[in-house]
Amino acid sequence: MRIRFTHAAAIPALAAVLVSTPYASAATAGDRTQPVITQVKTAAAFDFASGNSPENITANPDGSLTVSMLGVPANKPPKLVHITASGQRTTLVGGHLGDQITGNTRGDDGTIYYNVDSDDASRNGTWKLPPHGHPQRLAALPADGLPNGLAIDPAGRTLYAADSLNGTVWAVPVSGGAARVWLTGPELAPDPKTSLKLGVNGVRFHKGAVWVSNFNQGTLLRIPVTAHKVPGLIQTVADNLPDLDDFSFLSNHPDTVFVAQNDTTDRVSVVHPNGITQTALTVDDGLASPTTTAVRGNQLYIANAGLTAPHDAKLQRGTINLKSLIAHARHR
């Protein structure tokens, strides 16, 4: 969950001419005997008071992780951190006090892309960090918005950036140039009646479509990318996921999603290909404001921002029980 703060206090729209169509039944599966995530443990503990509140994870090919640290919840500058498979940590990018580093992703050449949420229009937007290079802003995004989740297409040409306040997905060319509105509309918008207004949140590119979450509406949406690179009809995959933050896909299995549900829900759920949702982890498994998940092989990583006392900010790792996962899907 990305939060706007002013003076360290929390502050608790071109419409798309697209029709939202149901993707599948969005029912909730009850718990079965065998858990789908086992052996959950803390892979890395963080000092919340120092600003180390993990927000987003990219699992890299070499076994390392790139983790965005918000900073703002503890009134500290944000940072982008590299964690090796052995646990060694290196700060790749440091930010300005009051800014937030939110979504991050990686290009095939090793370039790291990340979003910066800032009240300073000269910093707000999508940035890149080339291998052995220096950070530079790739594209500005509206200063009245909140740059959030970030994904790259398989060709490595376009980044898709969520703007949670304006209910918009922006297309940012990797080669440089101005960002353009790729999709906006009521399905992506925040709920104006809530104190914490967050619409479109997480973004992933998966099998020819841009998938997004909507925090306030609790929906997981699939938007096909047409041959002309424009959005197709919005498909609602699931609509019963309150406080839905970011998510990831099970490797080599189509449309199985691990979603992080932030405060106050504090849950990791599985969304099966038929749209059925299943609770996988709760606070009883140590969750503390889960913001996103990442998958490497049969390992699931969960970022916990620790937004509420006792501020247990950490990265958890669990083992995906594939046999149980498939059994759940077959019996629903």
Side-chain angles (χ1 to χ4, degrees):
M1 174 170 55
R2 290 72 171 175
I3 303 178
R4 280 283 188 169
F5 285 74
T6 298
H7 304 301
I11 300 178
L14 213 195
V17 202
L18 300 177
V19 179
S20 179
T21 59
Y23 181 72
S25 170
T28 301
D31 291 333
R32 300 186 67 84
T33 304
Q34 296 296 321
V36 295
I37 307 297
T38 64
Q39 302 175 334
V40 179
K41 59 186 68 177
T42 297
F46 303 117
D47 181 9
F48 178 89
S50 298
N52 295 326
S53 185
E55 163 62 13
N56 206 246
I57 310 170
T58 293
N60 301 313
D62 63 356
S64 67
L65 303 172
T66 305
V67 182
S68 305
M69 300 289 188
L70 286 174
V72 160
N75 197 28
K76 301 291 183 180
K79 64 182 74 169
L80 198 63
V81 177
H82 181 259
I83 304 177
T84 66
S86 63
Q88 182 178 354
R89 305 177 192 181
T90 304
T91 298
L92 300 173
V93 175
H96 292 249
L97 184 64
D99 291 355
Q100 301 183 96
I101 294 178
T102 53
N104 75 77
T105 191
R106 182 187 184 277
D108 287 340
D109 64 350
T111 298
I112 298 169
Y113 302 94
Y114 59 99
N115 279 336
V116 174
D117 171 40
S118 176
D119 290 331
D120 186 332
S122 69
R123 296 197 299 272
N124 197 70
T126 302
W127 290 64
K128 70 175 182 177
L129 177 66
H132 313 296
H134 300 283
Q136 52 189 293
R137 190 168 68 163
L138 192 60
L141 293 176
D144 65 345
L146 198 167
N148 208 319
L150 187 65
I152 190 169
D153 72 342
R157 297 175 181 172
T158 304
L159 294 159
Y160 296 90
D163 181 341
S164 294
L165 294 184
N166 290 319
T168 299
V169 173
W170 294 86
V172 177
V174 167
S175 59
R180 62 179 176 82
V181 173
W182 188 73
L183 179 64
T184 190
E187 296 89 350
L188 309 184
D191 184 348
K193 299 177 183 178
T194 63
S195 57
L196 179 60
K197 297 175 179 60
L198 291 174
V200 60
N201 195 314
V203 186
R204 299 287 181 225
F205 198 105
H206 177 70
K207 298 185 67 177
V210 172
W211 293 57
V212 302
S213 59
N214 186 310
F215 185 89
N216 286 159
Q217 297 187 33
T219 50
L220 180 65
L221 308 174
R222 178 184 183 273
I223 307 124
V225 180
T226 72
H228 299 289
K229 308 304 179 185
V230 298
L233 296 179
I234 299 174
Q235 300 168 335
T236 300
V237 179
D239 59 4
N240 58 338
L241 298 164
D243 306 320
L244 178 55
D245 205 313
D246 216 329
F247 55 95
S248 59
F249 288 87
L250 178 64
S251 301
N252 303 320
H253 286 262
D255 303 355
T256 299
V257 192
F258 294 97
V259 304
Q261 293 171 256
N262 210 309
D263 289 333
T264 57
T265 300
D266 280 315
R267 184 185 305 162
V268 169
S269 296
V270 179
V271 180
H272 293 283
N274 59 2
I276 297 294
T277 64
Q278 170 192 0
T279 299
L281 300 173
T282 68
V283 291
D284 291 337
D285 301 289
L287 296 182
S289 312
T291 55
T292 193
T293 66
V295 175
R296 177 188 289 117
N298 69 341
Q299 298 294 296
L300 179 71
Y301 292 87
I302 306 106
N304 291 272
L307 297 176
T308 57
H311 303 300
D312 186 17
K314 61 191 173 187
L315 188 67
Q316 290 177 293
R317 183 180 65 241
T319 300
I320 300 169
N321 185 337
L322 187 58
K323 182 177 180 180
S324 177
L325 194 66
I326 294 173
H328 276 271
R330 287 177 176 172
H331 287 83
R332 297 295 167 181

